[in-house]
Amino acid sequence: MKLFLAHRIDIYNQADSFYVGLFEDGEYRKLSIEEIRDYQHEIITYNLNHLLDHLRMVYEGNLPIITDLGQIIKINTGRSKKTYSKKKYPWIFWNRIHRDLGEEESNRLYSIIREGTEEKQLVETLKALATKVKKFYEVSFINLKELKQESRFNNLENAIQQVLNERQVEGIHVDVEKLDGLITELETNKNALVNRLRYKYGIINLDYKYLRRFLIKKGFKLSNKDFDHFNLISFLKNEKISSELCKDIYITIRVKSDYEKLKQYIIEEGNLIFPVFDCIGTITSRILINYPHIQQLKRENRTIFRAKEGYALLYCDYNQFEPGILASNCKDEAMLDLYNSSDIYTSFSEYIFGTKALRKEAKVLFLSYLYGMSNKKLVSSINRVITSKGLTQNTSATEFFSKFEKLEMFKLSEYEKAVNQGYIQSETTLRRNIKKTKDGKKGKKSETRFVLSQLIQGQASFILKSAILEVSQDSEIEFLVPMHDAVLYQVPKSKIEEKKEHIETVFLKNFLALCPDINAKVDFKAFEE
């Protein structure tokens, strides 16, 4: 029997927390956190992370199945978070209430939840909200069925949510001495890098708007209206391979970011941190860690994480994940041969630069081109690398990619399909709705820049999540941290090789299930490498 749960949660004062559930048979009941912990059926709720924080206080090794209403709505929405302003995310429960009941009534209910002291009034308010949870859930599931995503949600996304819930409640071990030492070291490095920017370039501010205007004045082609810091970071990441200025700014921002992130780590009893996950953190269904920002840390700053007593860390990383998916999807024999016989990024580096030493730069350019960079921009970027490194151009990138005839046919076919449908979707990829033309009959051609990214990264997310689920069936292998194409586990020290072999088998099996034409590979390495 499903339980639709409404709540007021104060994790600092448990006495102030209040729960009212609506059962499928129509009964409303005030519940304790212990009753919620021990519930034997599915719970549907909102603000899941707050509930998990409270459940941690009474955790005894098991959690009920808890469905996050917001994750269902994200699938139905089919748009990236950037499409919406901060206050209008449609998957946030209170935004749905605001739309459903109007501003005045929504604010009145919210005020009672935040400040109400009379139990009768609080119960009635939470009963009303529980009713809305049930309504939103039922409507959302109708939409899921229409999109043919019901099975995916039940068997993949919501199953992964339960794995994340358990890790959020149990936490991850941190070496506090290393953390303190790293913070001190990063502060010193940050100050030195900031001073370097000031004296070398005259940069006096690391604010994203200031940096964008500074770069525009220096002749870089950026929009003077787009101040999204993620877009600036992406720009710097691409430009740093050929511009010393962009490289210096990028390194400084990354060090400053890591310093500020690590300073915010709250280490609780047992030297644990409790990560806050977002199961469908992106439109491609990648898992994000909203806090602390483990996934954004530079590799060398991940040394602070450790396994629990008697366990060791194992970090499993898919090798050339995205090019392998693309090669298999487009069925291009030349690309498959290249992928299966060598490292595709190294080959690209040797082909266009005449050296294997620029693999990192080649990887950035290769993926940028696949995900929408124009031929003109690609040639320009390559020429800047050649000039900055003092190289002699070997062979053009255009000639390199022209070998992959079926890849180009695949791109054009998927572009046309997206324009005609008004959305991007495959069997293993969540739908991404794209902007329409003025007459509303077709999708804008400019939106085709998202097509390959949505298809490839969406399939990568599907494969990784499927592998995580299968590995989780072994109770001795404990999931810790998801990365873009890798997972950090902790396993018993006495069974490292046995568990390593099992993880590798499962990861390869799930990759090959969707991409049977490739020689799939995974690597095991230190989390900080």
Side-chain angles (χ1 to χ4, degrees), residues 3 7 25 41 63 68 95 110 131 159 185 202 211 248-249 256 260 271 283 302 341 347 353 434 450 521 528:
L3 168 63
H7 52 69
D25 62 5
H41 305 285
L63 290 172
D68 183 358
N95 288 341
Y110 190 69
T131 303
E185 180 184 335
L211 288 174
D248 288 344
I249 294 174
K256 177 176 178 287
E260 291 174 347
N271 292 346
I283 187 62
R302 300 177 191 165
S341 62
S347 298
F353 298 131
I434 61 177
F450 299 121
K521 302 181 187 71
E528 62 271 16

Side-chain angles (χ1 to χ4, degrees), residues 24-230:
E24 278 189 296
D25 62 5
E27 177 191 4
Y28 292 92
R29 191 193 311 163
K30 179 184 174 184
L31 300 165
S32 68
I33 190 64
E34 288 81 10
E35 288 176 304
I36 294 168
R37 176 199 64 195
D38 297 333
Y39 192 67
Q40 298 298 306
H41 305 285
E42 184 182 7
I43 297 172
I44 296 94
T45 193
Y46 54 93
N47 287 4
L48 173 58
N49 292 318
H50 290 164
L51 176 60
L52 292 173
D53 281 340
H54 201 188
L55 280 168
R56 177 157 48 90
M57 310 295 182
V58 296
Y59 181 63
E60 294 182 345
N62 289 296
L63 290 172
I65 297 171
I66 310 176
T67 295
D68 183 358
L69 181 60
Q71 303 299 337
I72 306 176
I73 300 173
K74 280 184 186 179
I75 293 176
N76 292 333
T77 301
R79 295 191 184 277
S80 70
K81 291 183 180 180
K82 291 182 182 179
T83 306
Y84 300 94
S85 64
K86 188 174 182 180
K87 294 182 178 180
K88 294 182 180 178
Y89 288 163
W91 45 82
I92 294 176
F93 179 71
W94 281 101
N95 288 341
R96 302 290 287 198
I97 291 290
H98 190 88
R99 291 182 181 187
D100 201 56
L101 298 179
E103 182 177 358
E104 184 176 343
E105 179 63 8
S106 173
N107 288 340
R108 185 185 74 82
L109 294 177
Y110 190 69
S111 176
I112 293 172
I113 296 298
R114 288 295 300 270
E115 302 168 9
T117 56
E118 294 184 10
E119 181 169 323
K120 183 178 179 180
Q121 183 186 45
L122 195 53
V123 167
E124 291 304 312
T125 301
L126 289 175
K127 283 171 65 175
L129 293 180
T131 303
K132 291 298 179 185
V133 172
K134 184 173 186 292
K135 173 190 172 182
F136 295 159
Y137 174 81
E138 291 171 345
V139 170
S140 297
F141 239 85
I142 290 172
N143 293 336
L144 273 185
K145 290 178 180 179
E146 291 174 349
L147 292 173
K148 298 181 180 179
Q149 294 292 316
E150 179 184 10
S151 176
R152 178 189 178 125
F153 179 78
N154 287 330
N155 299 322
L156 182 71
E157 303 295 356
N158 206 31
I160 283 289
Q161 183 70 63
Q162 308 318 307
V163 176
L164 302 179
N165 292 350
E166 183 175 342
R167 181 49 49 204
Q168 181 166 336
V169 169
E170 293 190 353
I172 300 173
H173 289 269
V174 170
D175 187 321
V176 178
E177 288 186 10
K178 279 189 178 179
L179 175 63
D180 292 341
L182 190 55
I183 289 173
T184 301
E185 180 184 335
L186 285 170
E187 183 176 24
T188 301
N189 291 344
K190 172 185 71 76
N191 292 338
L193 289 167
V194 168
N195 287 333
R196 184 168 182 248
L197 288 183
R198 180 180 295 117
Y199 294 116
K200 186 175 180 180
Y201 304 107
I203 295 174
I204 59 173
N205 192 339
L206 289 181
D207 175 77
Y208 294 108
K209 291 183 180 181
Y210 172 88
L211 288 174
R212 185 175 293 277
R213 291 184 177 122
F214 181 89
L215 289 167
I216 290 172
K217 287 181 181 178
K218 290 293 183 180
F220 290 93
K221 294 181 180 179
L222 295 97
S223 167
N224 58 8
K225 296 180 181 179
D226 179 7
F227 295 118
D228 185 281
H229 69 280
F230 290 112

Side-chain angles (χ1 to χ4, degrees), residues 290-344:
N290 290 333
Y291 181 87
H293 299 288
I294 299 171
Q295 293 164 315
Q296 284 77 44
L297 288 176
K298 292 180 69 176
R299 292 181 184 274
E300 60 266 29
N301 295 331
R302 300 177 191 165
T303 57
I304 60 172
F305 300 102
R306 63 178 180 83
K308 69 181 185 181
E309 188 174 352
Y311 278 64
L313 298 178
L314 268 183
Y315 184 54
C316 184
D317 187 2
Y318 276 119
N319 191 310
Q320 302 180 85
F321 200 20
E322 293 172 38
I325 293 170
L326 177 61
S328 187
N329 283 354
C330 70
K331 306 298 181 185
D332 188 294
E333 291 84 358
M335 192 172 188
L336 283 167
D337 288 344
L338 179 60
Y339 179 90
N340 289 332
S341 62
S342 63
D343 182 296
I344 203 165

Side-chain angles (χ1 to χ4, degrees), residues 202-298:
I203 295 174
I204 59 173
N205 192 339
L206 289 181
D207 175 77
Y208 294 108
K209 291 183 180 181
Y210 172 88
L211 288 174
R212 185 175 293 277
R213 291 184 177 122
F214 181 89
L215 289 167
I216 290 172
K217 287 181 181 178
K218 290 293 183 180
F220 290 93
K221 294 181 180 179
L222 295 97
S223 167
N224 58 8
K225 296 180 181 179
D226 179 7
F227 295 118
D228 185 281
H229 69 280
F230 290 112
N231 290 347
L232 178 61
I233 292 295
S234 178
F235 171 83
L236 291 169
K237 187 174 182 179
N238 285 324
E239 294 295 322
K240 72 182 178 68
I241 62 178
S242 59
S243 165
E244 187 175 0
L245 168 61
C246 290
K247 181 178 179 180
D248 288 344
I249 294 174
Y250 179 79
I251 291 172
T252 304
I253 288 176
R254 287 298 307 273
V255 170
K256 177 176 178 287
S257 175
D258 278 9
Y259 167 70
E260 291 174 347
K261 288 183 176 77
L262 291 176
K263 271 186 65 180
Q264 295 174 1
Y265 273 44
I266 299 173
I267 310 300
E268 300 193 27
E269 185 178 351
N271 292 346
L272 289 163
I273 59 168
F274 298 93
V276 176
F277 295 101
D278 188 346
C279 184
I280 305 176
T282 68
I283 187 62
T284 59
S285 186
R286 282 184 60 197
I287 303 168
L288 295 185
I289 303 176
N290 290 333
Y291 181 87
H293 299 288
I294 299 171
Q295 293 164 315
Q296 284 77 44
L297 288 176
K298 292 180 69 176

